[in-house]
Amino acid sequence: QVQLVESGGGLVQAGGSLRLSCAASGRTFSSYAMGWFRQAPGKEREFVAAITWNGVSTYYAGSVKGRFTISRDNAKNTVYLQMNSLKPEDTAVYYCAASELLSIATMKGNYRYWGQGTQVTVSS
């Protein structure tokens, strides 16, 4: 079992920045690839970014590439999502998730554990 708790969401103006954190507890955090997903009202949950267990490889959705950065600190059992140049269309509930795959995972079905989500609202 892995428990995930997101934090760092909030209200920000367009062009601003936020950093989301996801703290993990339970089984060995460094065993898991990690991902961030988001879900806007009335829309499907979509992939945002992923990172391998060792932090060597990352992958981003096209809509956030160049603006968002995923990173992890295995010593702190935490994964981060730095979000810069935020746009109103980035408004959503953001979820972190843990995957037992060794490689990058972009599909929701590849993730076994999920956090409860944190709201990000970007005003225009």
Side-chain angles (χ1 to χ4, degrees), residues 29 72-78:
F29 174 71
R72 67 189 296 163
D73 185 337
N74 286 345
K76 296 182 178 180
N77 285 2
T78 302

Side-chain angles (χ1 to χ4, degrees), residues 10-123:
L11 174 64
V12 64
Q13 288 189 331
S17 298
L18 282 174
R19 187 176 83 154
L20 305 183
S21 299
C22 174
S25 61
R27 294 181 62 184
T28 307
F29 174 71
S30 59
S31 299
Y32 296 91
M34 299 296 295
W36 285 96
F37 289 74
R38 66 186 182 186
Q39 187 167 17
K43 295 188 176 180
E44 293 287 323
R45 191 171 298 188
E46 65 175 4
F47 169 78
V48 175
I51 189 167
T52 50
W53 65 274
N54 56 5
V56 170
S57 296
T58 58
Y59 188 78
Y60 299 90
S63 58
V64 307
K65 193 172 184 179
R67 300 188 297 122
F68 290 11
T69 303
I70 187 171
S71 61
R72 67 189 296 163
D73 185 337
N74 286 345
K76 296 182 178 180
N77 285 2
T78 302
V79 62
Y80 305 97
L81 186 68
Q82 178 67 44
M83 305 186 296
N84 299 329
S85 302
L86 282 161
K87 305 175 181 180
E89 51 263 43
D90 294 318
T91 295
V93 177
Y94 283 71
Y95 299 88
C96 73
S99 169
E100 294 172 323
L101 294 180
L102 296 178
S103 58
I104 291 287
T106 64
M107 306 294 290
K108 295 189 296 291
N110 292 140
Y111 289 83
R112 184 172 183 181
Y113 303 104
W114 292 82
Q116 82 291 346
T118 185
Q119 177 71 47
V120 171
T121 303
V122 184
S123 63

